[in-house]
Amino acid sequence: MQHRIIVLGAGYTGAIAAGRLARRLHRDDVAITLVNAEPDFVERVRMHQLAVGQDLTPRPFDEMFRDTGVALKLARVTAVDVDRRTVTVTAAHPSGTPGQGEPGDADASREELEYDTLVYALGSSWDARGVPGVTEYAHEIAGRPGALRLRERLARLDAGQPVVVVGGGLTGLEAVTEIAEARPDLDVALVAGGGLGDWLSPRGRRHLRKVTDRLGITVHEHTEVTSVAADHVTTAAGGSVPAAVTVWTTGFAVHPIARATALEVTDTGRIVVDRTMRSVSHPDVYAIGDAALATGPGGKPLRMSCASGVPMAWQAADAIAARLTGGKLPDVSIRYFNQCVSLGRGDGLIQYVTADDRAVDAALTGRLAALYKELVCKGAAWGVAHPILGPARRRRVVPATAPANPSVEAAA
């Protein structure tokens, strides 16, 4: 009987994990199913580009996974039962929208999938943080639907109308500079809870200030937004900033399904995993990307990012393959090298960091940094379709026994 592996979510981490597993394990021994609501791969790191009207390269999964052995199931995950080892899904149309049955046919599109190994990669969405008015009036760019809605709204704005981006992190900086560059006729502002780029090196902060000044972006530093209305945002100091459009980029919240399971999760709903990305409470479940709480150098939690998620996917896939085939478990420490920020199409900032993600003095700026960031984005997309270097080496699954490498297994 084939070992059933189900991967939930086909973002960077889920798609890479599924493809890597297919190239590590013999097709006769495993059945790999990738569950995703959309038929195309979404380059999440480019959502700010999509929002301002740029067209992205289509990347259909049926082409990406052709002849790999990965079966794509277009569906939305509605529940996971880790005790029964089942996943409940609702069928989605090729457009990525949920299936619409006839009246009284609500259960017709529901299906229960059984697994032997589960890879949970459902990722995250925007975090409204409970701020009044955010869900009603603000836009988000955490995914393609939100970016497309913002795209339509920005296209309807007349010259001189105000746009406010709330959040001074990487997503906020990329969004506000992209909007200001694409629409110089708009009055664009950034509201940041801290100082502008206060986590960057002095060189990085200087360059960021130079770019925002050049693009005419009004920056409100050390400012907390306490509510959002249709035409303005209100700050903790009692003032307001006019906004015909508000873009909310203050952070990410994980998919709520994990919290509803018996998995051990954090107070924010992230699944607690070991060094091999395996759940500490349920050994047949692995979690990767934003959905997982994994630690890096110094025991610090890895941040939600593509830079964390991709090596987590490699680690999980290789660990699953090793455990199934009796091979050696991977023992690679996940670390950081830089933070890449696009500041419009012709400018950028590459902030070099320590292994645990603290800025160092070195930083690359300007057009060369923009080219560097573009190569990183293209490389990330290429890596989804090519999850291993070199030819596939598919190993046979061995009967379940004691760990082939007990010392390594115990250390993990």
Side-chain angles (χ1 to χ4, degrees), residues 30-189:
V30 295
I32 302 171
T33 302
L34 179 61
V35 181
N36 198 59
E38 297 188 66
D40 302 320
F41 174 68
V42 176
E43 292 185 83
R44 192 176 188 182
V45 296
R46 294 189 186 274
M47 290 301 96
H48 54 284
Q49 296 176 238
L50 185 64
V52 298
Q54 297 170 33
D55 293 325
L56 305 184
T57 302
R59 301 182 187 277
F61 284 123
D62 59 357
E63 294 181 9
M64 189 177 295
F65 290 114
R66 181 174 296 143
D67 298 327
T68 64
V70 175
L72 176 67
K73 188 170 191 64
L74 284 178
R76 293 184 183 276
V77 180
T78 59
V80 175
D81 189 328
V82 293
D83 295 321
R84 294 177 55 236
R85 292 201 281 191
T86 61
V87 176
T88 303
V89 301
T90 302
H93 288 309
S95 63
T97 57
Q100 301 293 326
E102 296 297 324
D105 196 28
D107 295 329
S109 63
R110 291 181 185 173
E111 184 179 358
E112 192 172 80
L113 310 176
E114 296 181 343
Y115 67 83
D116 298 303
T117 297
L118 180 70
V119 181
Y120 188 105
L122 290 179
S124 62
S125 59
W126 67 319
D127 187 359
R129 303 192 175 215
V131 175
V134 171
T135 56
E136 294 87 352
Y137 301 110
H139 289 262
E140 51 90 9
I141 55 171
R144 181 159 55 186
L148 289 173
R149 285 191 292 270
L150 177 57
R151 176 181 180 140
E152 294 176 359
R153 183 70 184 97
L154 289 174
R156 295 197 304 268
L157 291 182
D158 295 327
Q161 288 191 275
V163 174
V164 172
V165 176
V166 181
L170 299 180
T171 304
L173 294 179
E174 293 194 326
V176 75
T177 51
E178 199 76 50
I179 293 170
E181 181 183 83
R183 291 292 305 273
D185 58 319
L186 298 176
D187 182 8
V188 181

Side-chain angles (χ1 to χ4, degrees), residues 43-382:
E43 292 185 83
R44 192 176 188 182
V45 296
R46 294 189 186 274
M47 290 301 96
H48 54 284
Q49 296 176 238
L50 185 64
V52 298
Q54 297 170 33
D55 293 325
L56 305 184
T57 302
R59 301 182 187 277
F61 284 123
D62 59 357
E63 294 181 9
M64 189 177 295
F65 290 114
R66 181 174 296 143
D67 298 327
T68 64
V70 175
L72 176 67
K73 188 170 191 64
L74 284 178
R76 293 184 183 276
V77 180
T78 59
V80 175
D81 189 328
V82 293
D83 295 321
R84 294 177 55 236
R85 292 201 281 191
T86 61
V87 176
T88 303
V89 301
T90 302
H93 288 309
S95 63
T97 57
Q100 301 293 326
E102 296 297 324
D105 196 28
D107 295 329
S109 63
R110 291 181 185 173
E111 184 179 358
E112 192 172 80
L113 310 176
E114 296 181 343
Y115 67 83
D116 298 303
T117 297
L118 180 70
V119 181
Y120 188 105
L122 290 179
S124 62
S125 59
W126 67 319
D127 187 359
R129 303 192 175 215
V131 175
V134 171
T135 56
E136 294 87 352
Y137 301 110
H139 289 262
E140 51 90 9
I141 55 171
R144 181 159 55 186
L148 289 173
R149 285 191 292 270
L150 177 57
R151 176 181 180 140
E152 294 176 359
R153 183 70 184 97
L154 289 174
R156 295 197 304 268
L157 291 182
D158 295 327
Q161 288 191 275
V163 174
V164 172
V165 176
V166 181
L170 299 180
T171 304
L173 294 179
E174 293 194 326
V176 75
T177 51
E178 199 76 50
I179 293 170
E181 181 183 83
R183 291 292 305 273
D185 58 319
L186 298 176
D187 182 8
V188 181
L190 175 71
V191 178
L196 181 64
D198 55 8
W199 73 93
L200 298 169
S201 65
R203 174 180 170 84
R205 291 196 298 272
R206 286 195 300 271
H207 184 71
L208 181 57
R209 183 80 61 179
K210 177 182 176 181
V211 171
T212 56
D213 289 346
R214 173 173 58 81
L215 293 174
I217 298 169
T218 302
V219 180
H220 303 270
E221 300 179 78
H222 306 289
T223 302
E224 179 186 355
V225 172
T226 54
S227 68
V228 177
D231 59 355
H232 70 278
V233 301
T234 301
T235 68
S240 68
V241 180
V245 172
T246 299
V247 185
W248 194 264
T249 69
T250 61
F252 299 105
V254 298
H255 199 291
I257 284 181
R259 192 192 294 272
T261 71
L263 291 166
E264 182 175 335
V265 299
T266 67
D267 57 358
T268 59
R270 300 175 78 184
I271 300 169
V272 183
V273 297
D274 64 16
R275 284 176 60 87
T276 64
M277 306 302 126
R278 185 166 66 169
S279 163
V280 298
S281 62
H282 290 73
D284 47 13
V285 177
Y286 292 73
I288 53 179
D290 293 354
L293 179 71
T295 56
K300 291 175 61 176
L302 298 176
R303 60 180 164 89
M304 293 182 177
S305 66
C306 187
S308 305
V310 169
M312 291 168 75
W314 295 337
Q315 192 94 316
D318 290 353
I320 293 169
R323 288 187 170 109
L324 290 178
T325 62
K328 183 179 179 181
L329 284 173
D331 188 24
V332 179
S333 178
I334 297 176
R335 58 153 296 164
Y336 296 102
F337 297 93
N338 51 48
Q339 295 179 6
C340 304
V341 193
S342 64
L343 302 173
R345 293 301 83 211
D347 208 328
L349 169 62
I350 309 301
Q351 176 63 64
Y352 296 101
V353 298
T354 60
D356 61 351
D357 210 27
R358 291 175 290 113
V360 298
D361 289 340
L364 183 66
T365 62
R367 181 169 294 277
L368 188 58
L371 293 173
Y372 186 112
K373 173 64 187 293
E374 180 62 21
L375 287 174
V376 168
C377 292
K378 288 182 176 178
W382 184 90

